[in-house]
Amino acid sequence: MSNTMTDAKPLPAPRDQHLRDLADCIRALSMDAVEKAKSGHPGMPMGMADIATVLFQDFLRFDAADPHWIDRDRFVISNGHGSMLLYSLLYLTGYKDMTIDQIEHFRQVGSKTAGHPEYRHADGIETTTGPLGQGLANSVGMALAERIMNAKFGDALVDHYTYVFMGDGCLMEGISHEAISLAGHLRLGKLISFFDNNSISIDGATGLSVSDDQTARFRASHWHVQEIDGHDTDAIREAIKQAHAVTDKPSMISCRTVIGFGLPTKAGTQKAHSDAPGEQEIAGARKLLGWDSPPFVIPKPLLEAWRTIGEKGRAKRMAWADRVKAAPDGLRQDFERRTRGELPKGWQRAITAAKKEFVDSGKDIATRAASGAVLNHLFEAIPELLGGSADLTPSNNTKAKNQVEIKPGEYNGSYVHYGVREHGMAAAMNGIALHGGLIPYGGTFLTFSDYCRPSIRLAAMMQIRTIFVMTHDSIGLGEDGPTHQPIEHLAALRAIPHLAVFRPGDPVETAECWELILDDARRAALIALSRQPMPLLRRDTGSENRCAKGAYVLHEAEGGARKLTIMATGSELHLAVETRAVMQKDGVPTAVVSMPCRLLFEEQDAAYKRSVLGEGTARVAVEAGVEISWDRYLGFAGRFVGMHEFGASGKIGDVYKKFDINTEAVVRAARETLGS
């Protein structure tokens, strides 16, 4: 490629000049926005503009006037650094909250046009795609949700595609393998992906770090694969038609593109990836593209053409709305309720029934088993629950008695075997939650939350109802040893803003935690559950949810004003109860505080917090994890009984004894803090 503006090679003649002009609207807005911000990624939007134009004009079913139409096609940009492609499309097609002012304030605080697309910032942004590969995995969840909803409600109400743009970085990330493999196995034929095959990464040519045959990789995972020129609009159109004709495989269209198409000296180089082009480069691009308009100005005929594209789905949406109205009453009401995110009336009776079951039995039970029992009741009450596990179904207790398994090509079920794909599962669940109509929950061991963490973090950031069921939550899993014993994980997960981390201390608390998780449609949640049996500490079966404020006084002090507060969660709560009995016998008025959800407790007012923790009392906390995050409640004089190193392999009782987490240790800590 030429190194000067004046002798830059002319661009190849387009197949369709009108489509090139429409695509150049995206290119112009993208390079102008990046240049004004002095940061961003112009290369992908300019390189994939032709693909997006054909997709939006000829195939994508949407109505810019109703961005939340449930049967719209989903459009996801997994290579989210190319966010200006999406923002340009939203502005051009007429989404009301994506104004030219927002485009001009790209990457500025307070704008809807963040550096990477952020869910809820603006209509038309289907998911938050920052870390590469997330959008691809989200789209697998969206496509799966569409098929499950279609199996339940039929073609008349649910029948749409999921389209995803992805780059070489998305395919280098490990999550892509999990997502691709799962989608191919499940035969998600209404998932179509476009690979921006431009051979350029930030460091330079992709050959610096990867030599994979991506098309062979997708074929090996049972995808339908095509290879085209990503600037040939006829080839793009034909490839999408071919993808539509394949119903039993997801489709991957490898699009050979030029990154930064239209830039005179930087196109096709790493400089086009994430550098602001510079005034001279943009002037040269305008000349090459034949673009005469000033920055951020779209010629009226082209803007009108784009607005027509934004309106073309209105008739289809209205026809769909008529079909919804004509559906049988029961089916229509269930469909509308589920797509609004509302739970069935009276669903809480399932929680009450589960609590009664536990109290009536009076048996020691692991909270993972208690969770499974709760799900047996909930599944009958909330049909939109979609369960799953990363190849640990018997261990996680995530499959209710009557749940039917999803199988390849068979979607009339409510349980997914995700395989050993923890990260892919977590990201797919986010896509399912974002799609609407289903409430996903999925299980693995708590130690493997590290493998899920980027997707858990994004679920919390998006504030969506994704439920992560994490069992084997401490050294209490025993013989599997330190690699499988989560030590720092609770503290690390509690550090994620907006993520509700629950660790119930007995079966009744487990039921109450499930109630709180399901009752909040705008909060991602993780429930940590024990492998080992735990005693029944609660025997109240009423409708009050004592866990609702995150922490509460399980047993108040007796024999005078409280002098000692013992805080605990999960499988260590019974140690606090046993310690209280010893201290009360010694004449020390002692309260036990159960703290199943730190986030909910922190949302309470100061008066409630004081009433629970006690003012001026000595404090002890016990949890089979690290001390970090307990410090705020203990102060300088408090004591912590827990883990200070990695665990060990052995019988559960022996492991707890080795690390001195028992009633005797809590009593010693209590006496120490009282004497300090």
Side-chain angles (χ1 to χ4, degrees):
M1 180 168 286
S2 170
N3 292 319
T4 66
M5 305 290 180
T6 55
D7 59 356
K9 292 181 180 179
L11 298 175
R15 293 278 189 180
D16 183 317
Q17 186 61 52
H18 178 63
L19 286 177
R20 172 64 62 81
D21 291 342
L22 292 177
D24 286 347
C25 297
I26 298 170
R27 294 185 173 102
L29 289 173
S30 297
M31 65 182 183
D32 287 342
V34 171
E35 179 62 23
K36 183 174 181 180
K38 300 302 179 187
S39 73
H41 298 75
M44 181 282 239
M46 299 182 77
M48 297 193 81
D50 296 308
I51 307 164
T53 300
V54 174
L55 177 63
F56 270 65
Q57 175 179 269
D58 296 340
F59 297 98
L60 193 75
R61 185 166 74 165
F62 74 107
D63 180 1
D66 188 359
H68 305 290
W69 170 26
I70 192 67
D71 202 32
R72 70 191 180 279
D73 288 342
R74 303 304 195 269
F75 175 63
V76 175
I77 292 180
S78 187
N79 41 353
H81 53 269
S83 57
M84 268 309 305
L85 174 75
L86 179 57
Y87 302 148
S88 297
L89 288 164
L90 297 180
Y91 166 68
L92 291 168
T93 55
Y95 283 76
K96 288 184 179 179
D97 57 354
M98 189 55 65
T99 63
I100 196 65
D101 183 67
Q102 293 293 337
I103 300 291
E104 291 194 54
H105 287 84
F106 175 55
R107 286 181 159 233
Q108 305 308 303
V109 171
S111 74
K112 299 178 185 293
T113 48
H116 294 78
E118 295 189 34
Y119 181 63
R120 299 190 200 278
H121 271 212
D123 287 337
I125 300 174
E126 300 284 6
T127 181
T128 298
T129 52
L132 293 174
Q134 283 288 332
L136 172 59
N138 291 165
S139 72
V140 173
M142 292 176 183
L144 176 58
E146 188 275 340
R147 287 292 82 194
I148 295 170
M149 290 287 284
N150 172 269
K152 171 67 176 177
F153 296 104
D155 290 347
L157 302 190
V158 182
D159 187 19
H160 56 265
Y161 283 89
T162 301
Y163 299 96
V164 57
F165 281 13
M166 59 190 183
D168 52 78
C170 297
L171 299 185
M172 291 187 213
E173 292 284 2
I175 191 174
S176 71
H177 175 77
E178 298 182 29
I180 292 163
S181 176
L182 180 62
H185 171 73
L186 291 173
R187 302 179 189 170
L188 298 178
K190 305 208 80 170
L191 172 62
I192 300 175
S193 65
F194 299 84
F195 171 33
D196 184 21
N197 185 10
N198 59 43
S199 299
I200 294 294
S201 63
I202 291 177
D203 281 357
T206 54
L208 291 170
S209 58
V210 64
S211 54
D212 299 1
D213 183 338
Q214 297 293 2
T215 56
R217 178 182 169 205
F218 276 79
R219 288 190 180 98
S221 291
H222 305 288
W223 285 58
H224 176 254
V225 176
Q226 301 174 76
E227 298 181 69
I228 65 168
D229 178 346
H231 301 295
D232 182 337
T233 51
D234 289 349
I236 296 165
R237 185 181 299 106
E238 183 60 29
I240 298 173
K241 288 180 180 178
Q242 290 293 324
H244 282 185
V246 178
T247 59
D248 62 346
K249 291 182 178 181
S251 288
M252 183 268 226
I253 304 172
S254 177
C255 306
R256 189 67 182 169
T257 59
V258 176
I259 191 170
F261 183 93
L263 295 175
T265 69
K266 296 181 178 181
T269 75
Q270 69 202 75
K271 291 293 185 180
H273 189 285
S274 53
D275 291 1
E279 292 182 7
Q280 283 190 325
E281 189 76 8
I282 286 181
R286 278 181 152 75
K287 182 177 180 180
L288 275 178
L289 296 170
W291 189 263
D292 298 328
S293 297
F296 303 106
V297 175
I298 302 298
K300 185 176 179 180
L302 293 179
L303 185 58
E304 289 177 348
W306 269 112
R307 294 294 160 87
T308 299
I309 293 171
E311 296 170 356
K312 69 180 176 63
R314 191 157 306 162
K316 292 181 180 179
R317 176 177 60 83
M318 294 176 69
W320 169 84
D322 289 340
R323 294 195 298 274
V324 173
K325 291 178 183 177
D329 288 347
L331 188 74
R332 185 189 72 254
Q333 291 166 5
D334 188 31
F335 177 74
E336 292 177 339
R337 176 191 63 76
R338 287 169 62 158
T339 55
R340 288 194 302 267
E342 297 174 2
L343 299 178
K345 291 181 180 179
W347 70 272
Q348 293 94 337
R349 287 193 291 269
I351 300 297
T352 303
K355 290 164 70 174
K356 185 176 186 303
E357 177 184 315
F358 298 140
V359 172
D360 287 348
S361 76
K363 295 179 180 178
D364 291 3
I365 181 173
T367 51
R368 63 167 175 163
S371 175
V374 173
L375 287 169
N376 285 335
H377 291 277
L378 285 171
F379 175 67
E380 300 299 330
I382 307 175
E384 57 265 40
L385 283 173
L386 180 69
S389 172
D391 198 46
L392 290 168
T393 296
S395 297
N396 298 148
N397 293 90
T398 41
K399 188 173 183 290
K401 287 180 180 178
N402 297 322
Q403 277 185 298
V404 175
E405 297 172 350
I406 302 291
K407 297 179 181 179
E410 299 177 19
Y411 309 106
N412 193 18
S414 58
Y415 193 82
V416 183
H417 288 285
Y418 287 102
V420 188
R421 303 183 182 99
E422 295 92 347
H423 196 184
M425 174 184 72
M429 288 198 301
N430 285 348
I432 292 164
L434 289 161
H435 178 276
L438 297 166
I439 300 174
Y441 68 90
T444 187
F445 291 167
L446 182 60
T447 193
F448 300 139
S449 63
D450 284 341
Y451 278 13
C452 307
R453 188 179 178 87
S455 295
I456 294 173
R457 180 175 184 266
L458 289 172
M461 189 181 297
M462 291 188 281
Q463 297 180 282
I464 55 177
R465 188 163 49 191
T466 309
I467 305 167
F468 305 96
V469 180
M470 301 284 172
T471 69
H472 296 59
D473 68 348
S474 71
I475 58 173
L477 65 87
E479 291 89 340
D480 276 341
T483 62
H484 282 54
Q485 292 170 0
I487 302 304
E488 74 280 15
H489 298 72
L490 286 167
L493 290 162
R494 287 169 179 154
I496 298 176
H498 308 306
L499 178 68
V501 179
F502 292 86
R503 191 174 187 240
D506 85 336
V508 171
E509 280 198 356
T510 303
E512 291 185 346
C513 289
W514 266 109
E515 180 179 20
L516 297 170
I517 289 168
L518 289 166
D519 201 34
D520 195 337
R522 291 288 299 271
R523 190 171 341 241
L526 182 147
I527 184 166
L529 303 165
S530 74
R531 177 197 178 203
Q532 72 273 35
M534 291 156 52
L536 184 69
L537 301 175
R538 291 268 305 277
R539 296 184 180 274
D540 44 315
T541 60
S543 59
E544 179 190 4
N545 190 320
R546 295 182 69 188
C547 295
K549 294 184 178 180
Y552 65 98
V553 180
L554 176 63
H555 295 299
E556 188 51 273
E558 297 176 350
R562 190 196 304 187
K563 292 185 178 180
L564 174 66
T565 299
I566 307 175
M567 301 169 286
T569 73
S571 51
E572 291 70 60
L573 184 58
H574 77 278
L575 299 180
V577 173
E578 292 167 7
T579 300
R580 176 183 180 273
V582 174
M583 301 307 293
Q584 285 284 161
K585 189 175 180 179
D586 287 351
V588 180
T590 301
V592 172
V593 170
S594 176
M595 194 174 285
C597 184
R598 192 79 53 79
L599 181 71
L600 296 183
F601 184 61
E602 288 300 324
E603 291 176 350
Q604 308 309 311
D605 60 36
Y608 180 77
K609 292 178 185 177
R610 286 194 297 268
S611 72
V612 170
L613 297 176
E615 293 189 82
T617 70
R619 294 178 186 174
V620 174
V622 54
E623 186 172 67
V626 296
E627 183 175 0
I628 297 170
S629 81
W630 282 104
D631 307 57
R632 66 187 305 158
Y633 305 120
L634 291 171
F636 289 115
R639 296 291 187 274
F640 175 75
V641 178
M643 296 296 294
H644 302 279
E645 56 182 303
F646 293 114
S649 177
K651 299 295 183 185
I652 294 173
D654 294 340
V655 174
Y656 269 89
K657 183 177 180 180
K658 171 181 172 59
F659 292 104
D660 202 24
I661 302 176
N662 48 44
T663 303
E664 293 77 11
V666 184
V667 169
R668 286 198 308 272
R671 289 171 176 164
E672 287 175 6
T673 190
L674 284 165
S676 62

